Amino acid sequence: MTTYPLGRQAFSLSAPVRLWEDGFALDPYGYYDALRAQGPVGWAELAPGVPAYVVTDRRAALALLHDTDTFSHDPRPWESTVADDSPVLGMMRWRPNSLFADGAAHVRYRTTLIDTFDSVEPHDLRARVHRAVHVLVSRIGPKGEADLVGEFARPLMALVFNSLFGLPDSQSDRLNAALGKMMEGGAEAAEGEAEFGGYVLELIATKAEQRGDDLPSRLLDHPAGLTPEEVTWQVFLTLGAGHEPTANLVSNALSRILGNPLYYSTLTSGARPVTDAVVEVLHHETPLANYGIHYARRPVTFHGVWIRAAVPVVISYGALAYFAEEEVPSGRHPKDASHLSWSAGPHACPVKQHTLLIATEAIERLTQWLPDLEPALPRERLSWRPGPFHRSLTSLPVRFSPRSPDQPGDPS
């Protein structure tokens, strides 16, 4: 049996790499090395007793993402093999929405989402982000210190998405708490799933009775004729997928920016666009690290690995980013390679431009209000939330000169 170390960890090539361990959040790259040592498709655990294949090779990932004949997004055959209290069920359980559908059902659901989000004009979305930043800077600005995860990135997404989905600001804390528990896939995952499900059910029940100028109302009225139950599950997907990964994108980008003062100065001076920093995170520290979950429709050999049916096959976007440099063709710079953070194929992210706008505007607006942000801790001392699916900071403490958003000279 061959083993090799990662600090005090030791991985065996005959045992699954345990992505649920605390060590994975601390240093995912050692775990990705362990997976890659097994080949383009490694063997892992997403939770104790929940095995999965993990794709760490770009060519294999692209082949899988485009092969709808061999692989399905429907997890129901797998679900029947998993304990009801499995902590990853909240993120992987089948629901009638675009993420877990194939074929005509997937096209129908996806079309409604694209049409609905396309109805949000960029200037309107930008204004919603600016308003949310103003609300949050009003809270943290006078203090001269803040946690940019707990007091900015996560509440910002709750404010923006509650606004888009027709909910008041007062519901933001409830949304943050529920999604945080579900995403981490730990002991409170089932509680988080139930809380978030209740949140969405209440929202759709309200909109079914009385429409508003919001995304759920437009879904309910879409020509595709989605039932209220189907609308519920599209909202469950889009509200969750919009909030958590975008919050992580913002906080990961801010941590990289603030960890490099020279880089930060080029952004605050306008010499480089904030978009560069956001795209850099998508290349190197993607917020949704392991997802894109598929299931072989039948046992099959895939890139030299025998894949069993009804076992999750996970695309490791984090590993793909980590190994990107060695996979770029000779003569090309690593940054020339397109990242796969938006996935690819028929299930590629349908609203990536909205996500980029939210993240870029949030960071740009924050650094205009508070241009002298300084990290309170070096980046190597920051802590990361546990869970197999995301790359998410626990906190990002900063210091800055106290100010109020109402001071003269503030951004208009």
Side-chain angles (χ1 to χ4, degrees):
M1 180 184 297
T2 304
T3 61
Y4 49 96
L6 166 63
R8 290 182 294 175
Q9 302 285 341
F11 295 106
S12 165
L13 294 186
S14 63
V17 177
R18 297 180 295 189
L19 302 183
W20 50 268
E21 292 181 333
D22 291 342
F24 176 67
L26 178 66
D27 177 21
Y29 309 110
Y31 288 71
Y32 295 149
D33 283 331
L35 287 165
R36 177 57 71 89
Q38 301 179 29
V41 182
W43 185 236
E45 277 190 339
L46 302 177
V50 181
Y53 303 99
V54 179
V55 179
T56 62
D57 173 82
R58 179 184 176 85
R59 190 164 59 93
L62 286 170
L64 188 151
L65 289 166
H66 287 91
D67 187 355
T68 56
D69 291 333
T70 304
F71 294 97
S72 167
H73 274 259
D74 190 333
R76 283 175 288 187
W78 165 79
E79 276 187 58
S80 65
T81 71
V82 182
D84 292 340
D85 61 352
S86 174
V88 294
L89 266 178
M91 291 290 292
M92 298 173 64
R93 188 194 310 277
W94 180 84
R95 302 174 183 100
N97 61 35
S98 62
L99 181 61
F100 299 112
D102 299 310
H106 169 250
V107 172
R108 177 170 174 261
Y109 292 146
R110 182 180 174 89
T111 299
T112 65
L113 294 180
I114 292 174
D115 291 346
T116 300
F117 274 89
D118 280 352
S119 70
V120 181
E121 296 291 342
H123 67 86
D124 175 45
L125 185 56
R126 189 174 290 109
R128 293 174 192 267
V129 175
H130 289 182
R131 173 189 167 277
V133 173
H134 187 278
V135 168
L136 296 172
V137 173
S138 297
R139 296 175 188 171
I140 66 175
K143 298 191 300 181
E145 60 182 18
D147 166 18
L148 292 185
V149 173
E151 294 179 280
F152 183 73
R154 289 180 61 78
L156 177 90
M157 294 313 145
L159 289 169
V160 171
F161 282 95
N162 274 346
S163 171
L164 287 169
F165 283 79
L167 284 164
D169 293 351
S170 59
Q171 294 293 307
S172 297
D173 290 345
R174 183 181 169 198
L175 177 61
N176 273 326
L179 284 172
K181 294 175 188 175
M182 190 172 79
M183 181 69 82
E184 288 183 5
E188 296 183 314
E191 180 182 337
E193 181 189 9
E195 290 172 358
F196 182 48
Y199 191 87
V200 175
L201 284 169
E202 291 173 21
L203 168 62
I204 303 306
T206 299
K207 299 304 175 183
E209 289 186 6
Q210 183 174 359
R211 304 291 198 270
D213 183 17
D214 50 62
L215 299 184
S217 296
R218 292 170 201 170
L219 282 170
L220 286 163
D221 291 335
H222 192 278
L226 269 60
T227 66
E229 180 187 9
E230 288 177 314
V231 171
T232 297
W233 294 119
Q234 307 319 304
V235 171
F236 189 98
L237 167 64
T238 53
L239 188 53
H243 179 287
E244 277 289 317
T246 312
N248 296 342
L249 179 58
V250 167
S251 57
N252 290 1
L254 282 167
S255 74
R256 294 176 72 90
I257 292 168
L258 298 178
N260 184 337
L262 182 61
Y263 186 26
Y264 182 37
S265 68
T266 66
L267 293 173
T268 55
S269 68
R272 292 183 67 181
V274 170
T275 308
D276 282 2
V278 175
V279 172
E280 185 174 301
V281 169
L282 294 171
H283 273 281
H284 299 293
E285 200 164 59
T286 185
L288 197 60
N290 299 289
Y291 209 52
I293 304 172
H294 297 68
Y295 304 85
R297 298 179 186 273
R298 65 197 70 86
V300 64
T301 298
F302 179 74
H303 282 254
V305 176
W306 180 247
I307 303 290
R308 290 178 285 159
V311 176
V313 185
V314 177
I315 305 293
S316 179
Y317 301 112
L320 295 177
Y322 176 52
F323 295 117
E325 184 168 351
E326 65 186 56
E327 294 178 347
V328 175
S330 177
R332 291 180 62 196
H333 192 277
K335 289 187 178 179
D336 294 335
S338 60
H339 61 81
L340 287 180
S341 290
W342 305 118
S343 192
H347 280 265
C349 177
V351 290
K352 64 181 181 181
Q353 295 306 324
H354 297 75
T355 304
L356 278 174
L357 188 152
I358 292 170
T360 301
E361 289 292 330
I363 294 169
E364 193 168 83
R365 201 70 171 176
L366 174 70
T367 54
Q368 288 173 350
W369 288 119
L370 306 174
D372 62 346
L373 289 168
E374 291 184 0
L377 290 173
R379 196 164 194 269
E380 60 271 16
R381 289 181 55 195
L382 297 175
S383 60
W384 300 83
R385 290 165 60 199
F389 303 117
H390 57 186
R391 181 67 173 157
S392 174
L393 283 164
T394 302
S395 63
L396 180 57
V398 295
R399 295 182 291 261
F400 48 87
S401 299
R403 72 178 281 127
S404 164
D406 299 321
Q407 288 178 217
D410 288 333
S412 59

